[in-house]
Amino acid sequence: MTNTKKQETKRNGKSLYMDISFLGPLIFLLFRIPITNIIGNEGNGYFAFSWELYTVLGLFFGHCFSSVISEMVRKRVRKNQYHNSSSILTTSLILGIIASLLGCIIFYFVSDALLGFLSMKLSGISFRLLGILLIFSSLSGIFCGYFEGIGTNVPTTFSKILKGFISGTGALIFTSALTKYGSKVGALLYNAQYKPAFGATGIVAGCICGTIFSLLFLIVINLIYQVPLKQLLKKDTITEQDSFLRIFKEMSKLFLISFLEVAFFNIFRIVNMWLYIKTTVLTDGKDKIVQYLGSYHGKVLVFTTCIILLIFIFTGRNIRRIQKNYRRNNMANCWNFFCEDIKQLLMLTLPAALILAVFGKNIFTFIYKSAGNIEITMLQIGCINIILVSFAVYMYRVLKKLDMKILLILIPTIAFVIQTLVMSFIVKLPTIGALSLIISEMIFWLLIVSMELLLSIKTLKPRVNINN
């Protein structure tokens, strides 16, 4: 009877599985829906361009610190070197402040020239403010990486939830106020585009508020952690204190790997935007180009990403089990757990994609009050990305746990090169136009999924012994 109850409890625990680490980004994206009704497609277009550029440049000035520090701290905690773990946090905070301040200065002084070259000069209003966000975001990422390194994701998860809620609330308030201000500026300068451009800046202002509160939360948690840390320091097995120079050298080596792992996931969208603007600027008006960018990045991409994040909350329960069994060379269990997760992903992504394909127009008309033909076509194509992105991210998480670092760099690199060549060709076709943005993205994720799936099968599937 007792064993039966234990089995039932275990099954119920499985059915109630939730990964709330994705809840923070989901909350913020849900706020983006009413924000879109304030700033319109043009505002989303300006924000999307500055944000994608920010995510790329931010990798050089602090956004890679989180994964680097997590790995460095984890390695020392396993050896009970708690003094060195604390030294890494202190050193990384110093380097993070220097790097992010440098990035902020560069953002401010090169924004006009860079965005003028990219034919999106009005995005500079929000882009300059993103330099301030970079500082707080980098420092917040350092604390997150430190806590993950010592073995807990709880502070990171709750800081992201806090950040998502405050960022969304702040963005709603600031976009309302700055859109009105932008309207007055546009009337004075006889340029109506200042209204959506300033509205886009309101989203950034909201993000800054959310990130500051998230950082303060993590600082408080770190202060609380000092109490149990004092007990752990007594058990320290340190033989050699890590110097500033030694930590810096190790961080520099890991930085390159961490950068290359995520670089092309961030770069491909800004490259696609630039190719689209550069190719269509002579045939389409600037206003129309910004509207198409906003339609895709502000509506279609936001809505489909909400669905993907919701799927992530209820899937991926076996990733850690796969990692543990892989280390024990128990490939049969690895494969069973992998197949179980894949089946669950299929059960959630296929219906979601089908429902959105059939009722997408009704859903968009309800939440955005209007839906153009191009938006609906983008959404119908974007439904496929719900499946592709979900599988790509899941398999990336699995392979990362298995330390497939070189291959995880090679896969997005190959996908980026191929999708860029495809985008360069299809963007010139007059019949496709704005749809080239989503078609090339679908190709990118299809390539990622195909290569990751082949690698996952090769790595996890048990080999049949012919002799038996």
Side-chain angles (χ1 to χ4, degrees):
M1 179 69 74
T2 306
N3 291 333
T4 305
K5 286 183 178 179
K6 285 182 178 179
Q7 289 175 359
E8 287 178 359
T9 305
K10 196 172 182 180
R11 282 197 296 268
N12 291 333
K14 279 188 176 183
S15 63
L16 294 173
Y17 172 84
M18 283 184 66
D19 184 353
I20 62 171
S21 63
F22 297 100
L23 197 56
L26 176 61
I27 290 170
F28 175 69
L29 287 177
L30 289 174
F31 273 101
R32 287 284 305 277
I33 294 173
I35 288 172
T36 294
N37 291 326
I38 298 172
I39 63 175
N41 287 339
E42 293 92 342
N44 272 324
Y46 288 120
F47 173 75
F49 196 88
S50 60
W51 184 263
E52 295 299 337
L53 189 59
Y54 160 77
T55 57
V56 173
L57 296 179
L59 294 175
F60 295 96
F61 300 108
H63 283 174
C64 283
F65 276 113
S66 180
S67 57
V68 170
I69 292 158
S70 176
E71 186 170 343
M72 290 176 66
V73 171
R74 188 180 295 112
K75 185 169 68 174
R76 283 157 178 81
V77 167
R78 285 172 183 167
K79 298 177 182 178
N80 294 328
Q81 296 180 0
Y82 300 104
H83 280 98
N84 283 338
S85 300
S86 298
S87 298
I88 290 171
L89 176 61
T90 305
T91 304
S92 58
L93 284 172
I94 294 170
L95 294 174
I97 290 171
I98 295 171
S100 57
L101 279 173
L102 178 63
C104 181
I105 293 168
I106 292 173
F107 276 31
Y108 183 83
F109 285 105
V110 308
S111 59
D112 284 340
L114 180 60
L115 290 163
F117 170 75
L118 296 172
S119 302
M120 287 291 285
K121 198 165 185 177
L122 282 179
S123 285
I125 301 172
S126 55
F127 184 71
R128 280 189 286 270
L129 198 61
L130 282 167
I132 298 173
L133 177 63
L134 176 66
I135 299 171
F136 296 109
S137 180
S138 298
L139 296 178
S140 179
I142 288 169
F143 279 107
C144 288
Y146 174 70
F147 285 120
E148 289 168 15
I150 62 177
T152 176
N153 291 324
V154 175
T156 299
T157 298
F158 282 96
S159 70
K160 286 181 178 179
I161 293 172
L162 180 67
K163 176 183 173 182
F165 182 78
I166 295 177
S167 295
T169 306
L172 269 175
I173 296 169
F174 283 112
T175 50
S176 299
L178 288 174
T179 299
K180 293 176 183 177
Y181 177 75
S183 181
K184 294 177 182 178
V185 173
L188 288 172
L189 299 177
Y190 300 101
N191 187 347
Q193 290 301 300
Y194 276 97
K195 178 181 177 181
F198 272 96
T201 309
I203 303 178
V204 180
C207 289
I208 292 173
C209 293
T211 307
I212 290 173
F213 275 92
S214 172
L215 177 59
L216 292 173
F217 172 79
L218 290 167
I219 290 173
V220 171
I221 296 298
N222 185 55
L223 291 173
I224 296 171
Y225 176 67
Q226 297 308 306
V227 177
L229 179 61
K230 288 178 181 179
Q231 298 300 320
L232 292 172
L233 289 173
K234 296 177 183 178
K235 303 176 183 178
D236 204 323
T237 60
I238 184 173
T239 56
E240 183 181 359
Q241 182 74 39
D242 284 339
S243 64
F244 182 92
L245 184 60
R246 184 177 179 181
I247 294 172
F248 178 76
K249 287 181 178 179
E250 187 177 349
M251 286 182 70
S252 300
K253 292 177 183 177
L254 292 173
F255 176 86
L256 181 61
I257 297 172
S258 297
F259 172 80
L260 291 174
E261 279 185 3
V262 297
F264 293 109
F265 289 108
N266 294 286
I267 291 173
F268 85 95
R269 283 192 180 128
I270 196 68
V271 169
N272 287 351
M273 286 182 177
W274 180 66
L275 287 172
Y276 174 68
I277 295 169
K278 179 184 175 183
T279 306
T280 60
V281 71
L282 296 176
T283 55
D284 295 338
K286 179 62 70 65
D287 297 355
K288 194 173 182 181
I289 290 173
V290 176
Q291 283 181 3
Y292 284 153
L293 291 176
S295 292
Y296 176 52
H297 287 268
K299 288 185 178 179
V300 176
L301 196 58
V302 166
F303 193 79
T304 53
T305 304
C306 284
I307 296 173
I308 291 167
L309 289 173
L310 196 60
I311 289 169
F312 287 161
I313 290 173
F314 297 102
T315 56
R317 65 165 63 95
N318 291 321
I319 292 177
R320 290 191 178 276
R321 294 173 181 171
I322 293 171
Q323 182 188 30
K324 288 178 181 178
N325 282 276
Y326 182 79
R327 287 174 180 172
R328 297 167 183 168
N329 202 29
N330 193 339
M331 305 313 295
N333 280 347
C334 284
W335 182 248
N336 290 334
F337 286 135
F338 179 75
C339 290
E340 183 182 326
D341 280 347
I342 291 296
K343 288 176 185 176
Q344 190 178 27
L345 276 170
L346 282 171
M347 289 172 62
L348 292 174
T349 56
L350 287 177
L354 183 61
I355 290 170
L356 205 57
V358 176
F359 301 104
K361 184 175 182 179
N362 306 86
I363 295 170
F364 260 35
T365 303
F366 176 73
I367 63 174
Y368 293 119
K369 300 177 183 177
S370 64
N373 292 331
I374 290 180
E375 288 177 351
I376 299 306
T377 307
M378 285 181 177
L379 184 63
Q380 289 170 340
I381 298 173
C383 294
I384 302 171
N385 282 343
I386 292 176
I387 302 169
L388 296 178
V389 175
S390 298
F391 277 85
V393 173
Y394 167 76
M395 286 186 285
Y396 175 86
R397 292 169 67 197
V398 170
L399 294 170
K400 189 171 177 64
K401 288 288 185 183
L402 305 184
D403 293 326
M404 304 283 181
K405 292 182 179 179
I406 302 301
L407 291 170
L408 286 177
I409 293 171
L410 187 61
I411 287 172
T413 304
I414 294 170
F416 170 75
V417 171
I418 295 174
Q419 82 91 38
T420 303
L421 293 173
V422 172
M423 178 66 181
S424 302
F425 173 73
I426 64 175
V427 74
K428 297 176 183 177
L429 301 177
T431 54
I432 293 179
L435 297 178
S436 59
L437 290 168
I438 192 166
I439 292 172
S440 58
E441 176 151 343
M442 182 181 67
I443 291 169
F444 176 81
W445 290 112
L446 180 61
L447 290 167
I448 294 286
V449 168
S450 302
M451 288 185 281
E452 286 182 345
L453 182 60
L454 289 173
L455 180 59
S456 298
I457 292 172
K458 183 179 179 181
T459 305
L460 299 175
K461 190 172 184 179
R463 291 167 179 80
V464 179
N465 193 334
I466 299 174
N467 296 328
N468 294 334

